[in-house]
Amino acid sequence: MEKRYQVFVSSTFKDLENERNLLTQTLLRKGCFPAGMELFPAIDEEQFEYIKQVIDDSDYYVIVLGGLYGSLAPDGISYTEKEYDYAVSKGKRVIALVQKNPTQRDDDVRQLKFTEFRKKVSCGRLVSYWNNSEELASIFATSLEQTNSILREREH
């Protein structure tokens, strides 16, 4: 039986809700288990500690960047950036999908943080840039197939 991979999908939520839904559908069609905030149960546990457990249980991590920095944790860093940093620190395979020309923008302080975060995601790794939801879904499907192929080869 072929292994089914769990994939953690990370992004800001409200502005990329449609895109997240498309990626979740793609994962299900490809026989993968999606993991992300919209699938989290209501539990009595500190939010980021639970997120770290789900990332730990995932085979790889997908970061989707639009134009917003996202909800801030108490330390002033967005949850999306914290998730990314944690996944990288754990050596997770990362699929980075960055919107080429985002139309939504944050206030000046968050925009500066977002610009730095975008540079961090784009530096030292392969990144796919997307313009619209349909293009994102197509790019993601291709990236997912390539990543699955690489992981299967290493497992044999």
Side-chain angles (χ1 to χ4, degrees):
M1 179 178 226
E2 194 171 298
K3 178 177 172 146
R4 294 181 62 157
Y5 296 103
Q6 178 170 303
V7 181
F8 190 94
V9 179
S10 179
S11 74
T12 52
F13 187 73
K14 289 182 182 177
D15 61 317
L16 296 174
E17 188 171 7
N18 180 52
E19 288 79 359
R20 292 176 69 87
N21 287 334
L22 286 171
L23 296 189
T24 296
Q25 291 170 14
T26 300
L27 286 167
L28 292 170
R29 280 194 305 274
K30 298 289 185 183
C32 295
F33 297 107
M37 64 187 291
E38 63 272 30
L39 304 171
F40 292 168
I43 57 172
D44 186 24
E45 186 172 340
E46 198 276 324
Q47 181 179 357
F48 194 63
E49 290 305 310
Y50 182 75
I51 290 168
K52 290 192 307 190
Q53 290 174 16
V54 176
I55 292 171
D56 287 342
D57 292 340
S58 296
D59 295 292
Y60 39 94
Y61 172 91
V62 176
I63 178 77
V64 182
L65 290 181
L68 301 179
Y69 188 57
S71 300
L72 300 181
D75 62 2
I77 299 171
S78 76
Y79 281 101
T80 307
E81 184 169 5
K82 291 174 77 70
E83 291 167 359
Y84 173 81
D85 289 344
Y86 184 76
V88 170
S89 78
K90 291 298 184 174
K92 295 293 176 182
R93 287 205 161 273
V94 174
I95 298 173
L97 307 166
V98 178
Q99 190 173 19
K100 195 173 203 173
N101 297 305
T103 56
Q104 291 188 307
R105 294 181 57 88
D106 275 320
D107 61 54
D108 290 345
V109 173
R110 283 180 186 239
Q111 193 60 45
L112 181 60
K113 287 183 175 190
F114 174 77
T115 300
E116 292 302 313
F117 179 39
R118 182 178 163 121
K119 285 179 191 172
K120 182 193 308 186
V121 169
S122 301
C123 185
R125 77 176 59 258
L126 294 176
V127 175
S128 293
Y129 293 93
W130 56 280
N131 290 303
N132 56 52
S133 300
E134 295 75 28
E135 186 178 40
L136 172 65
S138 174
I139 289 169
F140 176 61
T142 301
S143 296
L144 185 63
E145 288 174 16
Q146 291 171 340
T147 303
N148 279 340
S149 293
I150 291 167
L151 287 178
R152 284 189 190 105
E153 285 177 18
R154 290 188 178 167
E155 290 170 354
H156 288 98

